[in-house]
């Protein structure tokens, strides 16, 4: 070949180099159309890329025919040099252009294929240990405690098995009151009561801390109800107490309303209705505007727009006297509500027995 | 209690519609559960608070409505009727047990004709759900619902004597009541007897033998006041609940006895004919003393923040028929006989406040005082819950009562010696009559419940109180406990298939993490036997000061069999009170190393009885120079290792604070430690 070349004119040699390229390039030419690459898998495309790279070296490298031909410029007559130069440039440009176009397509194709191969399913589960759940009653209790601590209340709890004095007498519940009966309250065989309200804690706290006092007592209480969809013989309650100089029912209403707004939203409205409890006087039951329908009426509020939530009132003077507090100097309010009931309302439980069955399919729904 | 709207309007004028009345009565403390149309009338279902028996009648509700409406209550007018003969010439009344009957009045109506009641009476009774019987019985029932005073009509000719004796029953004495049941009485029960035998259960129900029948011509009308507790006790014991007992047990109006009787007698004369006796035999051994209470009007504002004008205070109280007179700053209020609930000044404040309207009280927050406080251990408990959550444990809550239980070892400090569960005198769930001394039975039942629903991987924990008797008549011991149960696979979140099964170390690891999160001192675990745990896979948990707080391990086969568990179950229970008050983790800064450390691994073939703790303790006790730390790499068993042995690989770290150690120094130190371990445990190096 080399000998043949020397015999050829420089222009002929350049053209021959261009033709040789065209011949070898022919099989790659179709890659100029990106669509032609679609059928190629990643490995085949990489092989073609390598082949193309070799092709480029062969035809544009230092040892290529084109490079050799360019060196013949000295043997070209001076007047033909511009034309020769032009020819070399044209052929070289064409080779570069064709190679570039095809290589770019191939490169894009390889990038695409590679991306496709390395794509992860981002919807696969994240790697994490199993996670458990707090009991819905704990969730609510913690929220309630947080609200009242922020309002300046202390949290208290006490015994669950109590003496008559703390469960009834100190709370001004008369000897003949039905709540004392064995039909309503659980007793141990030696006569202690399972506390039927956490007001017991209020008495202990007032004895220990004295007054003024602001406290809430969340806790487990017991009443002799046969389990059914709306009753359990054990449930959770939170009772609040605020005793100070100058405390009025206005403070009671304001505090309960503030609590319910923080719990159910700033647009919550409350309603206090006169009622009777032995440990408060005056006494009131309180309702709040239905958090679901905002008062329009729905299943939760039985179409009344109101949800009955708890009892409250001004601490009965006999209760204050029972812990040595002078009712002429101090006054206070107390309120109580059922955490289970709140839970049933908020999550629309149709059977509160579920709360103590500990079915994990139930427990895992609340956070 | 059902109230007829039309009937109510006999006693007070009101412009309020039934629905308005519902709203207004609710806001004075008489909640109306429902208002239902009944022909041309409406029926209000009133929820009367237990301290307001005076509201258990149409006149009673009328008194409240009158104050709401600013009108006066009109009592039924007693028209004149024919009378003849003095009652005491015709019969006699004796109260033997004055403690149970403070007043008894008897009056006769002779020559009545028993017949169905007229339409208006039938309609009124039917509207409030009462079944009409005959004119005399219906009138007594009518007056009960009108005035609230229960009355009873006896067939006078069926009374032996004829006389009335109010006395306790003789033990075992029998009475067939109007409902047809023969009752056996005790000597705590008050009866109305004639000269020979009981003819009625006082304040509860009449007897069948003296019942009004078509042949009755003369009737004796009883109007009385019976002691509330006595009526309640007797009614409970006999399982009875009647219109009469409901009123007597809450407290009737002792001063209203004669008025109701007269109204009844008048209506009987009018509807059944007959001639009444000129008077009643009214035995009234324990006279009513009206209560007088002083009200300082400023107490209304002090307790409610309402500013009520004195004139309105007087209007409300006199409207409710208190007798009010002014004396200086104070109002002297005489309480009407039917208001047994009003005993002190605060009760009057409530009367004024509820008729002024609780909705008029402005919401206010009390002025700020001290800062809030959680219970001392609350934040630790929150971390504890979160730690167990982070290891896949769901929080459970079980009832505090369980069956008698002996299989489980109680937590330390709950009791000394054999644990005695407090026993409930009146359980509601028969098989749960004992207070729990351990949380485990509840959790294991919860586990069973989940397995029954096809859930195999279950991890639960519970925080709750446990109980034990101390001595009879003393309050039982109560302690806060934590218990954990786990079974199934150690699966990841959102993955169906676990790569391995849970074991002892999953439960231990969760507990240790919780301890770290709570910043408590690390626990130690020593191999031990416990009644409910499988031998060889159980440990006692101790605080680092040595205090025992509980046990952890695999549930014993014998216990597992009782719950029909087929797969291993791991449990833990400890005294949470003690744990939460245990020593805190001591945190102290250690300077960062200035020279590099070098680690060497060592594998020892040891007797299986050598625990890792023992091994590590020896490593630390040797105090080899520049030794810094030791960590477990792994434990290998089986394969070519004899079954009585296991291979333990440890990674030991050496470092000096003065310089970089030379290889030879490290080899010397490591060799020293190695030979010491080999000697101490008669081990081989692998
Ligand atoms: Zn609603």
């Amino acid at each position: 070949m080399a000998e043949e070349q020397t015999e050829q004119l420089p222009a002929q040699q350049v053209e021959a180099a261009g033709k040789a390229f065209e011949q070898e390039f022919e099989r790659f030419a179709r890659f100029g159309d990106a669509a032609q690459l679609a059928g190629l898998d990643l490995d085949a495309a990489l092989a073609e890329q390598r082949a193309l790279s070799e092709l480029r070296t062969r035809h544009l490298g230092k040892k290529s025919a084109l490079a050799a031909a360019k060196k013949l410029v000295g043997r070209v007559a001076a007047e033909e040099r511009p034309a020769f130069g032009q020819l070399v440039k044209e052929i070289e440009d064409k080779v570069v252009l064709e190679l570039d176009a095809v290589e770019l397509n191939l490169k894009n194709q390889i990038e695409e294929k590679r991306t496709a191969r390395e794509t992860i399913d981002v919807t696969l589960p994240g790697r994490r240990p199993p996670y458990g759940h707090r009991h819905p009653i704990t969730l609510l209790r913690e929220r309630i405690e947080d609200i009242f601590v922020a309002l300046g209340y202390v949290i208290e709890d006490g015994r669950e098995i109590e003496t008559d004095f703390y469960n009834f007498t100190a709370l001004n519940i008369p000897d003949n009151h039905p709540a004392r009966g064995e039909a309503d309250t659980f007793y141990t065989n030696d006569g202690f009561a399972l506390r039927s309200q956490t007001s017991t804690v209020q008495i202990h706290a007032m004895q220990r801390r004295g007054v003024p006092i602001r406290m809430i007592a969340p806790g487990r209480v017991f009443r002799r109800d046969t389990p059914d969809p709306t009753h359990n013989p054990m449930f959770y309650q939170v009772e609040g107490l605020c005793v100070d100089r100058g405390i009025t029912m206005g403070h009671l209403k304001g505090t309960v309303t503030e609590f319910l707004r923080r719990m159910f939203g700033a647009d919550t409205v409350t309603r206090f209705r006169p009622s009777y409890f032995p440990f408060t006087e005056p006494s009131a039951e309180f309702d709040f505007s239905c958090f679901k329908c905002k008062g329009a009426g729905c299943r939760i509020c039985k179409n009344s727009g109101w949800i009955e939530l708890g009892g409250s009132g001004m601490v009965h003077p006999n209760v204050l006297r029972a812990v040595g507090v002078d009712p002429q100097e101090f006054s206070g309010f107390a309120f109580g509500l059922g955490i289970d009931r709140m839970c049933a309302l908020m999550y629309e439980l149709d059977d509160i027995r579920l709360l103590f069955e500990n079915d994990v399919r139930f427990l895992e729904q609340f956070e | 209690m059902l109230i007829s709207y039309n009937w109510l309007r006999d006693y007070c004028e009101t412009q309020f519609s039934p629905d308005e009345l519902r709203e207004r009565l609710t806001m004075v403390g008489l909640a109306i559960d429902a208002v239902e149309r009944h022909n041309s009338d409406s029926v209000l279902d009133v929820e009367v608070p237990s301290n307001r028996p005076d509201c258990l009648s149409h006149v009673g509700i009328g008194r409240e409505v009158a104050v709401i409406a600013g009108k006066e209550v009109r009592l039924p007018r007693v028209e004149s009727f024919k009378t003849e003969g003095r009652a005491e010439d015709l019969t006699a009344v004796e109260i033997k047990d004055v403690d149970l009957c403070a007043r008894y009045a008897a009056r006769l109506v002779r020559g009545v004709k028993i017949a169905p009641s007229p339409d208006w009476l039938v309609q009124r009774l039917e509207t409030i759900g009462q079944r009409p019987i005959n004119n005399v019985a219906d009138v007594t029932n009518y007056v009960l619902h009108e005035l609230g005073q229960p009355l009873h009509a006896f067939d006078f000719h069926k009374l032996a004597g004829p006389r009335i004796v109010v006395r306790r029953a003789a033990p075992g004495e029998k009475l067939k009541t109007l409902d047809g049941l023969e009752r056996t009485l005790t000597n705590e029960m008050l009866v109305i007897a004639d000269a020979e035998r009981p003819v009625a259960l006082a304040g509860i129900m009449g007897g069948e033998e003296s019942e009004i029948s078509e042949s009755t011509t003369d009737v004796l009308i009883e109007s009385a006041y019976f002691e509330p507790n006595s009526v309640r006790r007797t009614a409970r014991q006999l399982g009875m609940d009647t219109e009469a007992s409901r009123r007597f047990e809450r407290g009737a109006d002792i001063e209203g006895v004669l008025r109701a009787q007269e109204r009844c007698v008048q209506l009987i004369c009018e509807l059944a004919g007959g001639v009444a006796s000129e008077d009643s035999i009214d035995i009234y051994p324990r006279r009513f003393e009206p209560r007088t209470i002083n009200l300082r009007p400023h107490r209304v504002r002090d307790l409610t923040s309402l500013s009520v004008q004195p004139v309105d205070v007087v209007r409300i109280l006199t409207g409710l028929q208190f007798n009010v007179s002014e004396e200086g700053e104070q109002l002297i209020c005489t309480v009407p006989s039917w208001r047994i609930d009003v005993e002190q000044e605060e009760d009057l404040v409530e009367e004024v406040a509820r008729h002024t309207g609780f909705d008029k009280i402005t919401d206010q927050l009390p002025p700020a005082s001290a800062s809030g406080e959680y219970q001392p251990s609350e934040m630790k408990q929150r971390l504890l819950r979160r730690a167990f959550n982070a290891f896949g444990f769901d929080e459970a809550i079980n009832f505090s009562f369980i069956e008698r239980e002996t299989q489980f070892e109680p937590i330390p400090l709950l009791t000394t010696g054999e644990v005695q569960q407090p026993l409930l005198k009146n359980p509601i769930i028969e098989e749960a009559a004992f207070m729990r001394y351990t949380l485990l039975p509840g959790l294991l039942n919860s586990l069973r419940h989940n397995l029954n629903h096809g859930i195999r991987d279950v991890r639960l924990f519970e925080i709750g109180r446990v109980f034990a008797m101390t001595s009879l008549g003393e309050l039982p011991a109560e302690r806060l406990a934590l218990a954990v149960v786990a079974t199934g696979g150690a699966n990841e979140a959102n993955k169906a298939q676990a790569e391995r099964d849970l074991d002892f170390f999953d439960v231990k690891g969760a507990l240790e993490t919780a301890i770290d999160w709570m910043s408590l001192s690390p626990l130690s675990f020593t191999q031990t036997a416990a009644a409910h745990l499988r031998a060889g896979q159980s440990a006692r948990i101790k605080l680092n000061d040595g205090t025992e707080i509980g046990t952890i391990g695999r549930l014993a086969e014998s216990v597992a069999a009782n719950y029909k568990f087929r797969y291993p179950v791991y449990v833990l229970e400890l005294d949470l009170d003690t744990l939460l008050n245990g020593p805190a983790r001591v945190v102290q800064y250690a300077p960062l190393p200035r020279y590099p450390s070098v680690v060497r691994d060592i594998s020892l073939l040891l007797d299986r009885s050598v625990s890792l703790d023992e091994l590590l303790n020896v490593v630390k006790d040797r105090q080899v120079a520049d030794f810094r730390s030791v960590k477990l790499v792994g434990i290998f068993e089986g394969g070519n290792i004899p079954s009585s042995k296991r291979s333990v690989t440890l990674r030991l770290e050496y470092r000096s604070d003065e310089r970089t150690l030379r290889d030879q120094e490290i080899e010397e130190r490591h060799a020293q430690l190695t030979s010491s371990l080999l000697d101490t445990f008669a081990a081989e190096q692998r």
Side-chain angles (χ1 to χ4, degrees):
Chain A
M1 274 291 266
E3 279 159 62
E4 245 182 290
Q5 276 171 10
T6 53
E7 284 163 29
Q8 281 177 322
L9 292 173
Q12 283 174 320
Q13 281 191 33
V14 172
E15 276 173 357
K19 285 227 175 58
F21 169 78
E22 290 301 337
Q23 254 175 20
E24 278 193 63
F25 182 72
E26 202 183 335
R27 117 183 150 72
F28 298 102
R30 64 192 174 98
F31 296 158
D33 173 7
Q36 295 285 325
L37 286 160
L40 232 48
D41 70 14
L42 181 60
D43 292 334
L46 285 167
E48 296 291 26
Q49 191 181 42
R50 275 193 305 278
L52 266 174
S53 166
E54 284 161 18
L55 187 67
R56 180 184 285 268
T57 313
R58 257 198 322 282
H59 291 281
L60 291 175
K62 284 180 190 146
K63 291 178 182 160
S64 66
L66 205 56
K70 276 159 84 176
K71 287 179 192 148
L72 299 176
V73 70
R75 286 169 50 186
V76 176
E79 66 276 17
E80 287 174 12
R81 269 182 205 156
F84 179 76
Q86 185 66 28
L87 180 68
V88 169
K89 188 174 182 308
E90 268 173 25
I91 288 174
E92 195 175 23
D93 282 356
K94 186 164 178 267
V95 169
V96 169
L97 214 63
E98 283 181 336
L99 277 172
D100 279 0
V102 169
E103 280 189 326
L104 181 68
N105 278 351
L106 201 54
K107 192 176 155 231
N108 287 341
Q109 179 65 17
I110 285 166
E111 196 53 47
E112 217 172 275
K113 286 270 149 72
R114 190 168 270 155
T115 305
R117 180 184 283 185
E118 292 171 5
T119 294
I120 56 168
D121 177 357
V122 298
T123 68
L124 290 181
R127 210 167 279 125
R128 57 170 171 165
Y131 54 96
H133 305 258
R134 282 174 293 177
H135 195 281
I137 286 180
T138 300
L139 287 177
L140 280 185
R141 181 181 57 74
E142 291 184 357
R143 262 179 81 185
I144 294 168
E145 289 189 10
D146 291 348
I147 292 172
F148 278 103
V149 166
L151 290 174
Y153 284 66
V154 301
I155 315 291
E156 290 271 357
D157 195 7
R159 301 187 54 89
E160 288 173 13
I161 302 181
E162 270 293 1
T163 61
D164 223 52
F165 175 79
Y166 287 101
N167 202 49
F168 297 119
T169 309
L171 297 167
N172 196 39
I173 298 173
D175 286 344
N176 55 23
H177 197 278
R180 287 182 180 246
E182 284 177 21
D184 289 12
T185 296
F186 288 105
Y187 287 96
T188 63
N189 62 345
D190 52 350
F192 295 111
L194 303 198
R195 68 177 180 197
S196 47
Q197 63 276 316
T198 57
S199 319
T200 54
V201 181
Q202 302 180 350
I203 303 299
H204 285 289
M206 279 195 281
Q207 286 179 335
R208 198 174 65 251
R209 291 177 178 264
V211 291
I213 190 171
R214 291 177 196 189
M215 58 157 288
I216 64 162
R220 177 183 288 224
V221 299
F222 305 88
R223 294 200 193 154
R224 244 182 121 264
D225 286 321
T226 307
D228 70 26
T230 55
H231 293 90
N232 270 319
M234 175 188 106
F235 55 98
Y236 281 77
Q237 204 185 40
V238 56
E239 298 227 350
L241 172 75
C242 169
V243 178
D244 207 335
R245 294 179 181 84
I247 295 295
T248 70
M249 277 192 96
H251 297 130
L252 164 66
K253 286 183 67 184
T255 302
V256 170
T257 305
E258 178 65 21
F259 160 65
L260 292 171
R261 291 198 171 143
R262 292 190 188 202
M263 199 81 196
F264 294 104
D267 52 354
T268 304
V269 181
T270 54
R271 180 175 82 163
F272 285 70
R273 292 177 283 110
S275 187
Y276 167 65
F277 306 106
F279 27 86
T280 48
E281 188 74 34
S283 301
E285 284 177 73
F286 54 90
D287 311 332
F288 70 108
S289 51
C290 178
F291 57 90
K292 186 91 172 193
C293 66
K294 299 294 170 196
C298 71
R299 203 173 61 91
I300 295 178
C301 59
K302 299 190 194 104
N303 284 319
S304 71
W306 293 105
I307 296 176
E308 289 182 25
L309 194 60
S312 67
M314 298 305 289
V315 181
H316 198 286
N318 292 351
V319 175
L320 294 175
R321 280 185 207 112
V323 291
V325 173
D326 177 6
Q328 296 304 321
E329 184 183 0
F330 287 94
S331 56
F333 64 76
F335 58 87
L337 51 94
I339 300 180
D340 307 43
R341 171 166 166 72
M342 211 170 197
C343 191
L345 284 168
M346 288 172 72
Y347 302 120
E348 296 179 51
L349 300 188
D350 45 12
D351 188 342
I352 62 165
R353 287 174 296 189
L354 286 168
L355 286 171
F356 306 127
E357 264 176 15
N358 304 315
D359 190 311
V360 298
R361 296 165 303 177
F362 174 81
L363 295 175
E364 289 174 0
Q365 292 183 31
F366 301 97
E367 63 171 346
Chain B
M1 182 196 49
L2 300 180
I3 290 288
S4 146
Y5 177 73
N6 290 345
W7 187 352
L8 179 67
R9 294 220 294 179
D10 282 1
Y11 314 118
C12 58
E13 284 170 53
T14 169
Q15 310 301 319
F16 295 126
S17 70
D19 282 320
E20 286 166 335
L21 213 47
R22 172 187 198 166
E23 180 64 23
R24 300 300 293 259
L25 281 169
T26 298
M27 295 313 287
V28 297
L30 294 161
I32 312 287
D33 289 339
V35 175
E36 266 165 34
R37 299 290 308 164
H38 193 279
N39 300 329
S40 59
D41 197 357
S42 289
V43 182
L44 286 70
D45 188 354
V46 188
E47 205 183 298
V48 177
S50 65
N51 66 335
R52 291 296 306 275
D54 64 293
C55 284
L56 291 170
S57 66
H58 284 74
V59 165
I61 298 293
R63 280 191 290 254
E64 292 287 331
V65 174
V67 178
I68 294 169
K71 301 278 162 66
E72 287 207 355
V73 63
R74 291 186 307 249
L75 289 180
R77 265 228 321 278
V78 180
E79 311 285 343
S80 62
F81 49 88
K82 273 201 279 182
T83 60
E84 189 189 327
R86 291 177 55 82
E88 64 180 24
D89 296 336
L90 301 164
T91 185
V93 174
E94 181 189 4
I95 304 178
K96 281 207 161 137
D97 290 300
V98 172
D99 56 331
L100 302 187
C101 176
R103 188 173 192 179
Y104 194 101
R107 193 163 182 178
L108 293 173
V109 184
R110 288 173 293 164
V112 298
K113 171 140 186 43
I114 304 301
S117 296
D119 286 351
W120 69 265
L121 179 51
V122 167
Q123 250 172 39
R124 284 210 159 166
L125 290 177
E126 280 178 346
T127 300
I128 59 164
Q130 298 290 314
R131 189 173 53 91
I133 301 167
N134 59 50
N135 46 11
V136 169
D138 292 350
V139 164
T140 59
N141 201 16
Y142 180 80
V143 175
L144 176 146
H145 285 97
E146 179 178 70
L147 296 171
Q149 170 66 35
L151 301 155
H152 186 67
F154 294 98
D155 184 333
F156 186 57
H157 293 303
K158 303 271 173 68
L159 298 177
R163 55 189 281 125
I164 292 288
V165 181
V166 185
R167 60 166 169 87
R168 284 181 163 86
E173 212 169 359
K174 296 211 164 32
L175 170 66
K176 196 170 195 185
T177 42
L178 280 175
D179 52 11
L181 296 177
E182 185 166 82
R183 314 274 179 178
T184 304
L185 310 175
T186 72
N187 67 345
E188 284 178 8
M189 297 172 176
L190 190 72
V191 295
I192 312 303
D194 59 14
E196 291 161 6
R197 65 210 189 290
V199 291
L201 259 178
I204 302 172
M205 194 180 275
E208 204 176 65
E209 276 184 57
S210 55
E211 185 183 1
I212 306 297
S213 68
E214 276 177 34
S215 60
T216 302
T217 55
D218 297 356
V219 295
L220 182 148
I221 305 298
E222 163 197 294
S223 184
Y225 179 91
F226 300 111
E227 202 50 38
N229 290 337
S230 156
V231 175
R232 178 181 304 115
R233 233 183 356 255
T234 303
R236 290 279 182 290
Q237 276 171 12
L238 297 174
M240 299 172 81
D241 177 25
T242 63
E243 295 282 346
S245 70
R246 237 171 277 161
R247 287 167 176 80
F248 280 124
E249 67 181 41
R250 295 209 217 166
D253 176 11
I254 195 166
E255 289 284 274
V257 160
L258 286 186
R259 187 207 332 223
Q261 189 178 54
E262 186 174 37
R263 170 71 168 153
C264 176
V265 165
Q266 174 239 317
L267 282 171
I268 289 173
C269 291
E270 186 183 318
L271 302 180
V275 181
S277 57
E278 284 164 13
D279 58 1
S280 280
I281 299 176
D282 177 20
I283 311 292
Y284 195 178
R286 285 161 54 213
R287 290 260 156 198
F288 170 77
E289 289 291 337
R291 256 192 309 275
T292 300
I293 302 169
N294 293 4
L295 174 64
R296 295 162 292 168
H298 70 85
R299 286 298 282 168
V300 174
R301 197 190 55 242
D302 291 352
L303 285 173
T304 67
S305 81
L306 284 170
S307 300
V308 187
Q309 295 302 312
V311 56
D312 288 318
V313 173
V314 173
R315 173 185 59 80
I316 290 165
L317 291 175
T318 50
L320 289 166
Q321 301 186 336
F322 287 79
N323 200 324
V324 182
S325 60
E326 284 177 54
E327 198 178 290
E329 296 284 282
Q330 301 200 9
L331 298 175
I332 315 293
C333 306
T334 306
V335 182
S337 58
W338 55 87
R339 290 303 302 271
I340 56 158
D341 60 310
V342 178
E343 293 178 326
Q344 47 193 332
E345 193 177 22
E346 289 75 10
D347 299 322
L348 294 175
V349 169
E350 179 173 69
E351 295 305 296
V352 174
R354 69 188 178 90
H355 274 287
T356 303
F358 284 2
D359 55 331
K360 302 279 191 319
I361 300 174
T362 313
D363 290 6
Q364 261 185 296
L365 282 177
S369 71
S371 63
E373 255 176 60
Y374 290 95
Q375 288 199 263
S377 71
E378 175 64 17
M379 289 305 148
K380 284 200 187 104
Q381 282 195 48
R382 288 191 182 186
L383 289 165
L384 176 73
R385 285 189 167 87
R386 293 325 235 154
F388 275 99
N389 288 161
F391 281 81
F393 291 83
D394 289 319
E395 185 185 10
I397 297 180
N398 281 290
F399 286 150
S400 302
F401 10 81
I402 59 173
E403 49 192 2
R404 183 192 281 286
E405 190 56 80
T406 52
Q407 315 178 75
F408 298 87
E409 185 175 310
I411 55 170
L413 294 172
L414 178 64
T415 181
T416 48
E418 194 91 331
V419 66
Q420 297 268 329
Q421 287 174 270
L423 169 63
L424 291 180
K425 192 177 180 183
N426 54 344
I428 194 94
I429 304 164
E430 218 176 303
E431 60 275 22
F434 292 87
M435 297 305 283
R436 59 183 181 179
Y437 73 89
T438 161
L439 304 179
L440 287 172
L443 282 176
L444 293 171
N445 279 325
S446 301
L447 185 54
R448 180 75 262 161
H449 169 94
N450 281 290
L451 294 173
N452 288 348
H453 287 87
I455 303 153
R456 284 203 42 226
D457 307 322
V458 185
R459 275 168 270 194
L460 295 172
F461 73 97
E462 181 170 2
I463 293 173
R465 280 169 194 276
V466 293
F467 308 87
M469 293 275 282
T470 44
S471 56
L472 206 69
E474 298 255 326
L475 277 168
E478 287 187 18
R479 294 195 79 78
L480 196 63
L482 162 74
V484 173
V485 301
T487 190
N491 41 351
E492 270 185 38
N494 300 325
K495 287 219 179 150
Q497 184 74 43
E499 281 165 15
R500 61 174 180 84
D501 285 338
L502 284 173
D503 64 24
F504 179 92
F505 302 101
D506 289 291
V507 179
K508 182 182 176 189
L511 175 62
E512 288 177 318
T513 304
I515 294 296
D516 287 349
W517 288 18
M518 293 188 284
S519 297
L520 293 172
S521 248
L523 303 173
S524 67
F525 298 79
T526 48
Q527 190 101 36
T528 188
H532 60 287
L533 297 177
R534 183 177 168 127
Q537 295 195 29
S538 63
R540 216 164 281 289
I541 307 169
K542 292 179 184 171
L543 300 181
N544 77 343
D545 63 7
T547 312
E548 281 186 17
I549 58 166
T551 54
I552 177 172
R554 177 168 164 184
L555 197 64
E557 291 299 316
S558 58
V559 182
N562 292 339
Y563 291 92
K564 302 194 170 61
F565 294 143
R566 285 164 43 222
Y567 297 96
V569 174
Y570 296 89
V571 304
L572 121 70
E573 184 166 38
L574 55 77
D575 179 336
L576 192 56
D577 279 328
T578 306
L579 177 71
L580 293 170
N581 291 309
R585 187 173 60 211
V586 180
V587 180
Q588 203 189 354
Y589 157 81
L592 299 183
R594 296 173 56 203
Y595 299 96
S597 63
V598 171
V599 295
R600 290 280 182 276
D601 285 2
I602 176 174
S603 291
L604 299 164
L605 191 63
L606 291 159
D607 214 81
R608 287 182 63 109
S609 65
V610 177
S611 73
L612 181 67
D613 266 2
E614 289 174 77
L615 192 57
L616 297 182
N617 286 338
V618 169
V619 171
K620 289 169 192 159
D621 286 349
R622 282 301 168 264
Q623 300 190 333
V624 168
D626 300 320
F627 162 77
R628 292 289 161 179
S629 74
V630 57
K631 270 205 178 114
L632 176 69
V633 176
I635 292 199
F636 308 94
E637 294 170 327
N640 57 356
I641 297 171
S643 64
S644 64
K645 307 262 180 194
R646 61 178 182 168
S647 164
V648 178
T649 304
L650 302 177
R651 181 160 297 168
L652 303 153
E653 183 196 13
Y654 300 93
R655 173 169 50 76
S656 162
D657 286 334
E658 274 97 49
R659 61 199 158 77
T660 303
L661 292 175
R662 282 176 287 123
D663 277 1
Q664 199 204 333
E665 289 173 311
I666 292 163
E667 293 317 323
E668 274 171 28
R669 287 156 174 59
H670 189 57
Q672 191 188 343
L673 198 49
T674 304
S675 69
S676 167
L677 290 175
L678 294 176
D679 286 354
T680 309
F681 296 108
E684 284 171 49
Q685 193 165 0
R686 290 183 81 228

